Amino acid sequence: MNSNRNIYRISAFLFICLLLQSCSIERFIPEGELIYEGATVKVESDTLVEDLDLIKNELDGVVRPEPNSKFLGMRPGLYFHYKAQREKPGFINKFFNKKIGEEPVYASDVQPYEVEQILLNRLENNGFFYSSATSVIEEDPENKEAKAVYNLRVKDPYVLKTYQLDTDSLLVYQGIKTTLDKTIIKPEMRFDLGKMKVERDRIDTELKKKGYYNFNPGFLIFESDTNQYEKKNFDLYLRLKNDVPTKSIVPYKIGRVNVYPNYTVEQDSILQDTTKFENKNFFQDEEFFLPKRLDPFILIEKGQYYDPDVSRSTSRRLGSIGAYKFINIQYDELDTGGSDSLGLLEANIFLSPLNKRAIRTELQAVTKSNSFSGPTLALTFSNRNLFKGGELLNVSAKFGYEVQISGGDQSGLSSIQAGISADLIFPRLLFPISFDEDWFKYNIPKTKVSLGVDYLNRSQLFSLGSILATFGYTWQANRYVTHALNPISLNYVKFSNTDEFQEILDDNPFLQSSFDQQFISGLTYSFTYNGMVDVNKRHQFFINANFDTAGNSISLFSGGASGDEPQEFLGLEYAQYAKVDADMRYHLNLGNDQKIATRLFAGIGKPYGNSDVLPYTKQYFSGGPYSVRAFGTRSLGPGTYNADENSTGETSYFDQTGNIRLEANIEYRFPLINVVKGAFFVDAGNVWNTSDNVTSIPEGKFTSDFINELGIGAGFGVRVDIQSFVIRLDLAAPWHDPSQPEGERWNFDVSNPVLNFAIGYPF
């Protein structure tokens, strides 16, 4: 520990030296030059100006040049640039100059008159005509710095009175007229060139949806008229420019739809077999994809008007199949025989498939909180488009060996884990009742059938075999919402243990009960709202809610219980419980790659009927790299339970669970260098048991004093984020440890930090 502290001190000393050196750039500045510090824009007006702050932000954004960047008031980029210009710059200086070096920006680089004209232009774009601008360069010779100050005097803006569309017999004018009820141009608004550009783009988008394939927003022009008003008012007129091409102002319909389910660049469609299905032509030499299975994903139909939204939706739906790596939809104009009122398009859908078969191998090195470490080998075989309808078969096998490398008397224990599973995914809804297609306009639900077998052997303790089978559906309802429903979920567990572990179970009735129930038959449902897909939004929300219930339907078929004995089905004791939880997240984007990320998790499980406790695999735990990071995985709780005082390191792994879980996290994320990001965070949380199952761990009972039983930790993290692939290191220390006696729980124990290594952000 002392050696680590010395390393921290040396690193801090070197960092401080580097910062101090970065301040010292004055000696490098050439004679007669001053470092440009940036500009200040001052706006004065005789009257109250609406949205002045927004206008000033726009003006600040056009001031040029940009000054050299600063970090904590210093210029490390400029410092390393100067150092790299020396005759013998050295490796370190050249390296940092390449990474963060910046060319110096001097006051002599500023062109005040040109900037004044740009500022006046922006004011005119916002309706402030006949404004004036002056500027001055304020010099600070002592510090070899200078800054520019721009003073703007604005007049009253021009205000809109009426907004009208020119009348014309052309059909496109009728199309434009129907879009004006959604206009953003409103009476009494200030003249705003930016809004006019947005209005042109909006009209273009609406016309495209009506079939105007060749229309362009550049064909529209706004004209303003101030002659009717003495004050600063104007009328605004919208019309088409002169000499717009005829084909640009006529709507287009789809005349033909061609689909290439197995497209390659080298192939020639003329030489391919053609199958006609639902007014579409399917070109494929051999039947790679059944037309009747592919057709539901294609929303482009013969006879409908061209609509880019339909084209995008078709591309998205085809991509959801999972059988294609490239999807390209192209439109070609067809000869209409001289008609100048309607155009025809041929839609060509080129689908380039992924490799039909693929094998993926993963070798993992695993280190767990219970001191078990070792390698795990996983193999996955994939067969795409199995039955020529986009079906995906994944067969996975894994084998892992772990050994406990520390832990006192438990050292040397080993663990073997093996398993094989198969998932068969149908890109369609397999259900006895048909549904209206309007329900699934965004995406077609998928049906998933899964079967898996797992085996776990922990030396000197127990062996566990399990069979899991599920049947269910996933459906992306829109851009943000996804549903997952498994009406059938079966899990059979075969448990055998050693005399040593039986003694542990005999001393812990709660743990014994959680292993007793060998059969779980239930239903699961998950709802996800993911607003994080809008990466540029200032406010982002995410929620994942889950419901899990077991034993309701099977109880109808089970035999009656005798006395206090639990009911059985096919000779197996089955579990009955209900469980619900929610994971809620909110991100606040601060700009410049900075973000405040928050998370709140709450969950509760309730055993009933045939069960006194939740099955062990359904219980909650707290602590770890995706939870409260100042505590190891499964090392927090339940309640004020202290594992060191109550059990060995091996048995505490099983004890520290509960059927209630509460957690809250907050994290400030910011950029460091290139793809390296940093974060400061605080986590809080714990697990508890309800009053029905506190016989073995009474200190784990949930009470009204739960706030004082939260484990709290804080720390710093470093993340390498390469195109959304994130490698994360978080160093955290406990701040409030509920396992300690009251009065001793608040202690920021920085001398015993926990290092978390993980893939991906925690929330």
Side-chain angles (χ1 to χ4, degrees):
M1 184 63 67
N2 289 332
S3 62
N4 288 339
R5 289 178 178 173
N6 290 334
I7 292 174
Y8 295 151
R9 289 168 182 166
I10 293 172
S11 300
F13 175 75
L14 292 175
F15 182 66
I16 292 172
C17 290
L18 176 62
L19 290 181
L20 291 175
Q21 279 191 319
S22 299
C23 293
S24 308
I25 64 166
E26 286 84 359
R27 65 184 185 274
F28 300 113
I29 301 174
E31 188 69 28
E33 295 285 7
L34 300 175
I35 290 294
Y36 178 58
E37 281 282 283
T40 300
V41 178
K42 298 180 180 180
V43 181
E44 295 183 4
S45 174
D46 295 332
T47 59
L48 182 64
V49 177
E50 187 178 356
D51 300 330
L52 182 60
D53 289 341
L54 294 177
I55 296 172
K56 191 170 184 308
N57 287 338
E58 181 181 347
L59 296 173
D60 290 336
V62 301
V63 175
R64 294 292 181 269
E66 292 279 352
N68 291 111
S69 60
K70 285 186 176 182
F71 177 72
L72 299 178
M74 294 160 284
R75 301 184 182 89
L78 194 53
Y79 169 80
F80 285 112
H81 168 79
Y82 281 130
K83 295 287 284 185
Q85 309 310 308
R86 298 189 306 177
E87 184 176 346
K88 295 181 179 180
F91 170 77
I92 297 297
N93 290 324
K94 289 196 293 184
F95 173 80
F96 279 105
N97 180 52
K98 184 177 180 181
K99 294 297 181 181
I100 63 173
E102 297 178 356
E103 293 276 352
V105 180
Y106 299 119
S108 59
D109 297 324
V110 181
Q111 304 295 326
Y113 178 76
E114 293 181 4
V115 175
E116 289 175 16
Q117 299 309 304
I118 294 174
L119 293 172
L120 290 174
N121 175 262
R122 291 299 186 274
L123 287 173
E124 290 180 355
N125 290 347
N126 284 278
F128 300 97
F129 294 92
Y130 312 113
S131 299
S132 60
T134 59
S135 61
V136 62
I137 302 295
E138 297 181 351
E139 299 181 351
D140 182 1
E142 182 178 348
N143 293 314
K144 294 189 175 182
E145 295 175 345
K147 66 178 181 180
V149 178
Y150 297 94
N151 298 292
L152 304 176
R153 186 79 183 180
V154 300
K155 303 293 185 179
D156 292 342
Y158 278 77
V159 176
L160 175 67
K161 283 302 181 183
T162 63
Y163 172 40
Q164 304 173 42
L165 174 68
D166 271 359
T167 57
D168 197 286
S169 59
L170 292 175
L171 182 62
V172 69
Y173 274 94
Q174 296 301 317
I176 296 173
K177 186 176 181 179
T178 61
T179 72
L180 294 184
D181 58 335
K182 301 177 182 178
T183 181
I184 62 171
I185 306 294
K186 304 293 184 182
E188 303 303 320
M189 83 170 207
R190 187 180 65 242
F191 181 94
D192 192 327
L193 186 61
K195 285 188 177 180
M196 294 180 193
K197 292 179 179 178
V198 172
E199 174 73 353
R200 290 200 314 174
D201 291 336
R202 185 195 66 81
I203 293 173
D204 173 66
T205 299
E206 294 295 325
L207 288 178
K208 288 287 200 314
K209 294 178 182 179
K210 299 176 184 296
Y212 289 88
Y213 175 73
N214 286 312
F215 197 81
N216 187 296
F219 296 152
L220 293 170
I221 186 172
F222 285 101
E223 295 178 338
S224 59
D225 181 10
T226 61
N227 293 327
Q228 301 184 50
Y229 304 101
E230 295 182 1
K231 295 184 178 180
K232 293 185 176 181
N233 298 125
F234 69 100
D235 295 322
L236 190 64
Y237 298 90
L238 174 65
R239 66 173 179 84
L240 285 176
K241 291 182 179 179
N242 298 326
D243 302 323
V244 174
T246 302
K247 68 177 185 178
S248 301
I249 54 176
V250 297
Y252 280 75
K253 282 188 174 182
I254 306 300
R256 191 157 54 231
V257 180
N258 300 325
V259 184
Y260 301 85
N262 190 18
Y263 177 74
T264 60
V265 177
E266 298 82 10
Q267 74 183 29
D268 189 340
S269 62
I270 299 176
L271 303 178
Q272 291 186 316
D273 292 336
T274 306
T275 302
K276 205 167 187 64
F277 184 83
E278 296 292 339
N279 288 322
K280 300 179 184 69
N281 302 312
F282 290 82
F283 294 92
Q284 47 188 339
D285 282 332
E286 296 180 2
E287 197 168 54
F288 174 79
F289 207 120
L290 296 174
K292 70 175 182 178
R293 297 300 186 198
L294 192 57
D295 178 69
F297 293 89
I298 301 173
L299 300 177
I300 303 171
E301 300 288 346
K302 181 179 178 180
Q304 70 182 193
Y305 282 102
Y306 164 79
D307 187 341
D309 284 351
V310 172
S311 185
R312 283 189 288 267
S313 296
T314 296
S315 181
R316 182 191 64 249
R317 287 160 67 97
L318 289 168
S320 71
I321 297 174
Y324 293 107
K325 59 180 176 180
F326 297 120
I327 297 162
N328 185 14
I329 302 177
Q330 298 180 1
Y331 292 92
D332 296 320
E333 295 185 42
L334 296 175
D335 186 2
T336 59
S339 172
D340 58 358
S341 60
L342 182 67
L344 291 178
L345 294 175
E346 178 182 67
N348 296 293
I349 304 174
F350 301 102
L351 306 174
S352 300
L354 291 159
N355 292 332
K356 183 172 177 61
R357 297 176 183 86
I359 296 178
R360 185 176 71 250
T361 304
E362 295 182 30
L363 180 62
Q364 302 173 338
V366 180
T367 300
K368 295 182 178 178
S369 63
N370 56 351
S371 300
F372 273 82
S373 300
T376 297
L377 176 66
L379 296 172
T380 300
F381 168 77
S382 299
N383 191 325
R384 302 182 180 92
N385 200 30
L386 183 62
F387 306 123
K388 300 182 179 181
E391 301 83 7
L392 173 62
L393 173 66
N394 288 324
V395 180
S396 300
K398 64 180 179 180
F399 178 83
Y401 176 80
E402 302 169 358
V403 63
Q404 196 166 32
I405 57 178
S406 63
D409 295 338
Q410 304 293 334
S411 179
L413 292 179
S414 63
S415 173
I416 295 176
Q417 185 174 12
I420 184 169
S421 63
D423 298 330
L424 181 57
I425 303 172
F426 298 86
R428 53 188 174 276
L429 184 66
L430 300 182
F431 199 75
I433 302 174
S434 61
F435 290 87
D436 192 324
E437 291 185 0
D438 289 343
W439 278 42
F440 309 127
K441 279 190 173 181
Y442 190 82
N443 260 342
I444 296 176
K446 292 184 178 182
T447 304
K448 181 178 180 180
V449 183
S450 300
L451 179 64
V453 179
D454 281 300
Y455 173 77
L456 173 65
N457 180 279
R458 177 110 2 127
S459 65
Q460 303 179 29
L461 291 175
F462 64 86
S463 63
L464 198 66
S466 64
I467 300 176
L468 176 65
T470 61
F471 176 87
Y473 310 98
T474 60
W475 174 44
Q476 189 174 3
N478 54 48
R479 175 176 167 83
Y480 306 103
V481 175
T482 302
H483 304 273
L485 172 66
N486 288 316
I488 299 176
S489 178
L490 305 175
N491 189 9
Y492 168 69
V493 179
K494 180 64 176 177
F495 175 74
S496 60
N497 56 284
T498 63
D499 293 338
E500 182 180 348
F501 194 67
Q502 185 60 49
E503 293 178 5
I504 296 173
L505 296 179
D506 291 340
D507 294 336
N508 192 334
F510 173 73
L511 185 60
Q512 171 75 66
S513 299
S514 68
F515 278 101
D516 276 346
Q517 291 163 347
Q518 300 174 330
F519 189 61
I520 302 174
S521 173
L523 174 149
T524 64
Y525 169 73
S526 176
F527 169 87
T528 302
Y529 173 86
N530 185 13
M532 306 292 180
V533 295
D534 294 329
V535 295
N536 295 321
K537 273 194 172 182
R538 180 172 174 81
H539 304 282
Q540 298 175 319
F541 296 91
F542 172 94
I543 181 169
N544 173 238
N546 300 281
F547 175 72
D548 182 358
T549 183
N552 289 333
S553 58
I554 204 172
S555 64
L556 302 175
F557 304 100
S558 63
S562 57
D564 295 331
E565 294 295 320
Q567 298 183 33
E568 295 182 347
F569 177 73
L570 300 178
L572 301 173
E573 181 182 332
Y574 62 89
Q576 284 186 290
Y577 64 86
K579 182 181 175 184
V580 62
D581 53 51
D583 185 343
M584 296 161 283
R585 306 173 190 180
Y586 167 68
H587 290 182
L588 174 63
N589 281 323
L590 303 176
N592 297 322
D593 210 14
Q594 299 179 82
K595 177 182 293 186
I596 294 178
T598 63
R599 168 180 172 264
L600 176 65
F601 181 94
I604 183 172
K606 182 71 174 176
Y608 64 90
N610 218 32
S611 300
D612 296 323
V613 299
L614 290 181
Y616 184 76
T617 57
K618 298 294 182 177
Q619 295 176 21
Y620 294 112
F621 65 87
S622 189
Y626 299 93
S627 178
V628 185
R629 285 161 281 186
F631 298 84
T633 305
R634 292 179 178 264
S635 69
L636 182 57
T640 60
Y641 177 75
N642 189 313
D644 295 334
E645 296 179 358
N646 290 278
S647 61
T648 67
E650 176 63 31
T651 59
S652 67
Y653 182 82
F654 299 100
D655 290 338
Q656 296 189 254
T657 60
N659 64 334
I660 295 177
R661 178 185 174 196
L662 291 174
E663 287 184 359
N665 315 74
I666 185 169
E667 188 169 277
Y668 168 57
R669 300 172 184 168
F670 52 89
L672 289 175
I673 301 174
N674 292 334
V675 298
V676 181
K677 318 289 183 182
F680 294 106
F681 57 84
V682 178
D683 305 322
N686 207 336
V687 294
W688 295 266
N689 290 309
T690 54
S691 57
D692 298 329
N693 46 31
V694 297
T695 54
S696 69
I697 308 179
E699 58 266 49
K701 180 181 178 180
F702 184 81
T703 67
S704 59
D705 196 38
F706 71 93
I707 290 292
N708 295 319
E709 297 176 359
L710 292 173
I712 304 175
F716 173 76
V718 176
R719 296 88 188 272
V720 179
D721 188 343
I722 305 173
Q723 295 182 348
S724 298
F725 176 76
V726 179
I727 300 174
R728 174 165 56 93
L729 288 172
D730 287 334
L731 187 67
W735 199 348
H736 181 267
D737 188 346
S739 68
Q740 300 302 313
E742 288 192 59
E744 301 179 18
R745 295 176 181 173
W746 288 101
N747 177 27
F748 194 32
D749 193 5
V750 294
S751 62
N752 292 297
V754 175
L755 180 64
N756 297 271
F757 173 80
I759 303 297
Y761 286 106
F763 49 88

